[in-house]
Amino acid sequence: MAVLPGRVIPERASTPVHIAEGFLPPVHAAAWTVAAAPFVIHGTRSATRIVKDNPSARLLLGAAGAFTFVMSAIKLPSVTGSSSHPTGTGVGAIIFRPPVMAMLGTIVLLFQALLLAHGGLTTLGANVVSMAVVGPWVGYGLFRLLAAAPLMVRVFAGVAMADLATYVTTATQLALAYPEGGFIEAWSRFLGIFAVTQIPLAIVEGLVGVLLINALIAWARPEMEDLDVVRTGTEATRA
């Protein structure tokens, strides 16, 4: 468990990606739900358009969703007695761009809340913002910023940063909800709780992302070219 002045944070509520059911104050939960809604709507439209324009992308879209589900469902013990886990959203953001991951991430988080008791329905909006919105956008943004670097360096950096950005966002959400000692102190405490495990996890996820993108280029190159992840006859990334 994580302890704040005058409050004990429940073990499962301390996971850096999924905030537990009922853990956020109602006003915070509602606010994050409202903030997430436009991204999910836009992502659903983007996914529909991609599938319509590239019917062959359906399998890749399913693979991206399955990868996110599996990776974010992995729970590893944390030094605090709670757990940490990867997110799986960086790869999908690179292949389909971040808006689509808002839709896929929401589906993944909803199923995990209902089937695995990871996260919750009242905290779904907050979890969507951290894992399915901020993480993919930050990871994809770094991927694009490193345009001059080799493809796999960019993939590693983007996937790892998507994981870390999710963790930082969740720490921010928790600090806003429970700012005991002041926001900065609470935020630093939440960040520190999982840093020891989450940073290595981000590195591992980056390496797994590199392996997966390499495999997809080998096994589904036409589809990856249709999505402009790689260019015809080359391994150059999209401009």
Side-chain angles (χ1 to χ4, degrees):
M1 291 187 180
V3 181
L4 289 178
R7 183 183 295 271
V8 177
I9 305 302
E11 178 176 325
R12 70 190 183 102
S14 300
T15 54
V17 179
H18 298 352
I19 300 176
E21 178 67 43
F23 187 68
L24 291 178
V27 172
H28 286 248
W32 289 116
T33 298
V34 170
F39 292 96
V40 176
I41 294 170
H42 177 55
T44 302
R45 292 174 177 171
S46 296
T48 301
R49 183 172 60 253
I50 287 173
V51 170
K52 181 179 179 181
D53 294 341
N54 301 283
S56 60
R58 287 191 180 93
L59 289 178
L60 281 179
L61 190 65
F67 180 73
T68 299
F69 184 91
V70 171
M71 292 294 284
S72 61
I74 296 172
K75 297 180 68 175
L76 300 176
S78 169
V79 294
T80 63
S82 184
S83 62
S84 297
H85 49 89
T87 66
T89 59
V91 169
I94 290 171
I95 297 174
F96 292 104
R97 302 194 178 187
V100 173
M101 293 312 298
M103 182 272 291
L104 284 182
T106 299
I107 294 173
V108 166
L109 287 165
L110 182 59
F111 271 92
Q112 288 181 350
L114 295 174
L115 302 178
L116 303 179
H118 290 188
L121 297 180
T122 62
T123 57
L124 181 63
N127 291 327
V128 167
V129 169
S130 62
M131 195 181 93
V133 177
V134 176
W137 273 107
V138 171
Y140 180 71
L142 183 59
F143 175 79
R144 290 296 299 269
L145 284 174
L146 297 176
L151 172 60
M152 292 308 153
V153 171
R154 298 173 67 196
V155 170
F156 171 82
V159 172
M161 188 54 65
D163 182 298
L164 289 176
T166 299
Y167 148 63
V168 172
T169 302
T170 302
T172 303
Q173 292 170 327
L174 293 173
L176 287 170
Y178 300 102
E180 281 84 351
F183 171 79
I184 296 300
E185 181 178 339
W187 185 63
S188 299
R189 188 177 294 110
F190 281 116
L191 286 175
I193 286 173
F194 293 98
V196 174
T197 50
Q198 202 65 30
I199 291 174
L201 275 177
I203 294 172
V204 171
E205 185 172 349
L207 295 173
V208 172
V210 167
L211 294 176
L212 180 58
I213 292 292
N214 264 324
L216 290 175
I217 290 174
W219 300 336
R221 189 178 187 94
E223 289 80 6
M224 297 288 274
E225 290 176 349
D226 287 343
L227 293 168
D228 202 24
V229 179
V230 293
R231 291 179 176 172
T232 305
T234 74
E235 290 191 0
T237 61
R238 61 168 71 94

